[in-house]
């Protein structure tokens, strides 16, 4: 008798809520429901379009190069453009040898955790926080240790908890700022305290700054600006600010004066060689996006700020829902009173089936500190947000009536 082949435990343990929610969404769509896909932070699905000169550069790269493999660390042209961008944005001087180009930040997270984590090692991550970190930490049999984001303090990181959760197995501290899913932009004083703790315990920081140019009041402090004795890697990419998510471009750079992370870098480099290289023509487009006109970013922020204001006001008008004002990134994370539902996941499934509005449950971003919330998106135009939140309003009022 033929036997089915078993998948690895590691792969079967993966669970990326942002896309898994598409399963119930597809079922609702198949019944003819009009869908509002507010689950994925993809600007290009809404009225944010890849600037024409990026596309032209990509076309030319395809036409004028040999379309062969490239450098495993990334093209020197793109790495130099990243060095210049980081100088302009954060006033820091890094070198092209410190920069690694990846297939989106997602690949960088995978490779970084692959180099860092031995079974049982612990990584501190924000809770709630972008779920890829936990997925890959778990994949490499490490332990994800969340530190709380404090809702009552505008989702600021609980730095005391972060320190209390450090053990002799702690291998790194992940910071995501501006934050997905809370929409928080962290205060400089909290980030400096995290830097001090990292220095005191000799733990590197991994700072995900993919939304660094999507801030609504101009305030942003990059971990690259910490004092030089904190070993750190900053992750960034082209999927959000640079409007090319499908082209899969991202990068990491290291700031590590004493070379404490040299072996981690070599462990990453070994993986980069094994996967050969990131998409070569798209690296050209990524380079152009850093060197050409940047006015599309201000346009994007103008729209997002208006949509953030609207979302914040409208969601707070809905009975049973309350939300902090988003300060950056593409998201808002309201709290919901779970009167008729046991979990936020049950709530979100009910919303999808009853209204077609596809949200993501907060517990998908952290079981311990995300429960009782849902993530929505700032990207849709106000008219679309308004339609979806009218449906959500009616849904909540119906439930409030039936539970009194
Ligand atoms: C905080 C954060 N990091 C990384 C990513 C992954 O981005 P990409 O792989 O498209 O660069 C995302 C995507 O939503 C994100 O929100």
């Amino acid at each position: 008798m033929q036997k089915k082949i078993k998948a690895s435990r590691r792969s079967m343990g993966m669970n990326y809520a942002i896309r898994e929610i598409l399963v119930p969404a597809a079922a609702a769509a198949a019944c003819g429901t009009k869908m509002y896909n507010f689950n994925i932070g993809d600007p290009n699905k809404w009225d944010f379009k890849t600037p024409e000169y990026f596309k032209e550069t990509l076309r030319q790269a395809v036409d004028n190069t040999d379309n062969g493999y490239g450098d495993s660390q990334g093209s020197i042209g793109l790495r130099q453009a990243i060095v210049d961008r980081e100088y302009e944005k954060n006033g820091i001087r890094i070198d092209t040898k410190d920069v690694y180009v990846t297939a989106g930040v997602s690949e960088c997270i995978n490779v970084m955790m692959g180099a860092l984590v031995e079974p049982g090692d612990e990584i501190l991550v924000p809770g709630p926080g972008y779920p890829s970190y936990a997925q890959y930490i778990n994949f490499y049999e490490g332990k994800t240790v969340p530190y709380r984001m404090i809702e009552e303090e505008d989702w600021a990181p609980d730095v005391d908890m972060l320190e209390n959760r450090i053990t002799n197995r702690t291998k790194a501290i992940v910071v995501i700022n501006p934050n997905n899913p809370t929409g928080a932009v962290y205060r400089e004083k909290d980030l400096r305290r995290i830097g001090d703790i990292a220095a005191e315990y000799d733990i590197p920081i991994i700072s995900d700054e993919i939304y660094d140019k999507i801030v609504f009041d101009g305030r942003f402090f990059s971990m690259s600006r910490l004092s030089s004795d904190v070993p750190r890697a900053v992750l960034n990419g082209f999927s959000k600010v640079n409007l090319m998510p499908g082209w899969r471009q991202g990068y990491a750079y290291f700031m590590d004066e004493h070379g404490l992370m040299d072996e981690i870098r070599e462990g990453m480099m070994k993986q980069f060689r094994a996967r050969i290289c990131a998409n070569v023509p798209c690296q050209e487009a990524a380079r152009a996006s850093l060197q050409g006109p940047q006015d599309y970013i201000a346009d994007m922020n103008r729209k997002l700020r208006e949509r953030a204001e609207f979302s914040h006001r409208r969601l707070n008008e809905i009975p049973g829902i309350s939300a902090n004002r988003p300060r950056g990134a593409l998201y808002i994370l309201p709290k919901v009173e779970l009167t008729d539902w046991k979990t936020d996941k049950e709530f979100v499934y009910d919303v999808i089936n009853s209204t077609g509005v596809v949200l993501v449950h907060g517990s998908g971003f952290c079981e311990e500190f995300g429960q009782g919330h849902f993530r929505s998106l700032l990207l849709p135009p106000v008219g679309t947000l308004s339609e979806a939140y009218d449906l959500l309003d009616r849904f909540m009022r119906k439930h409030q009536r039936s539970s009194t």
Side-chain angles (χ1 to χ4, degrees), residues 12-287:
M12 296 310 284
M14 284 199 135
N15 194 347
Y16 184 74
I18 298 167
R19 279 181 179 252
E20 294 197 353
I21 207 74
L22 288 174
V23 176
C31 300
T33 310
K34 177 175 177 187
M35 303 307 291
Y36 297 83
N37 288 320
F38 288 6
N39 55 315
I40 297 183
D42 180 349
N44 292 47
K45 292 287 179 290
W46 303 95
D47 56 339
F48 301 89
K49 295 300 163 207
T50 311
E52 211 36 60
Y53 76 89
F54 302 2
K55 294 188 198 169
E56 190 46 40
T57 309
L58 177 57
R59 279 191 284 265
Q60 282 178 15
V62 171
D63 285 344
N64 300 335
T65 66
D66 66 4
N67 292 297
Y69 290 135
D71 188 312
S72 292
Q73 192 170 347
S75 80
I76 196 72
L78 175 55
R79 282 191 277 145
Q80 185 59 53
I82 290 165
V83 166
D84 296 341
R85 179 226 196 249
E86 293 300 326
Y87 177 65
E88 203 178 304
K89 172 96 180 91
N90 298 316
I92 53 142
R93 295 217 179 267
I94 49 171
D95 191 275
T96 50
K97 71 175 173 13
D98 301 317
V99 181
Y100 300 80
V101 177
T102 57
V105 175
S106 305
E107 187 193 33
C108 194
I109 297 170
N110 180 357
V111 168
M112 176 88 73
M113 294 309 156
L116 268 173
V117 175
E118 289 284 6
D121 281 349
E122 298 175 8
I123 309 281
L124 281 158
V125 301
Y130 182 60
S132 264
Y133 288 91
Q135 295 308 309
Y136 286 111
I137 294 163
N138 298 345
F139 187 83
Y140 293 108
E141 299 179 13
K143 186 172 164 206
T144 303
V145 180
Y147 59 94
R148 182 170 71 120
M149 302 295 109
I150 310 169
E151 187 164 19
E152 300 71 29
E153 291 179 24
D154 239 356
W155 294 116
D158 186 337
V159 185
D160 292 329
M161 177 179 284
L162 183 156
E163 185 168 11
N164 287 334
R165 291 193 167 190
I166 290 175
T167 71
N168 55 9
R169 294 302 305 261
T170 307
K171 224 34 198 303
I173 298 168
V174 174
V175 173
I176 303 173
N177 177 45
N179 187 266
N180 176 6
T182 62
V185 178
Y186 297 162
R187 292 176 296 212
E188 181 176 335
K189 70 170 188 185
D190 291 330
L191 294 165
R192 285 197 183 279
R193 264 193 75 205
I194 294 174
D196 291 344
I197 291 169
E200 186 183 336
Y201 293 86
D202 268 338
I203 300 172
I205 293 174
I206 299 167
S207 184
D208 184 328
E209 302 183 359
I210 194 171
Y211 301 103
D212 66 347
K213 291 193 177 177
I214 306 181
V215 290
F216 307 141
D217 57 11
R219 178 175 60 87
F220 170 77
F221 178 80
S222 168
M223 287 306 232
S224 64
R225 294 176 57 202
L226 290 177
S227 78
S228 62
D229 56 354
V230 184
R232 77 217 97 133
V234 177
L235 276 45
N236 209 327
F238 297 83
S239 296
K240 314 292 176 178
V241 174
N242 305 70
L243 296 170
M244 51 174 84
W247 296 354
R248 311 305 301 127
Q249 297 291 307
Y251 61 93
Y253 62 90
F254 283 81
M255 297 183 76
D256 180 20
E257 201 170 87
H258 305 296
L260 303 181
M261 299 181 83
D262 282 356
E263 199 174 290
I264 300 299
R265 290 169 64 159
E266 187 47 25
M268 291 177 69
M269 209 45 232
K270 283 173 181 287
Q271 298 177 71
F272 288 138
R273 291 185 197 112
R275 69 78 160 104
I276 302 182
C277 63
N279 182 308
V280 175
C282 291
Q283 289 185 62
E284 264 308 283
R287 182 197 54 70

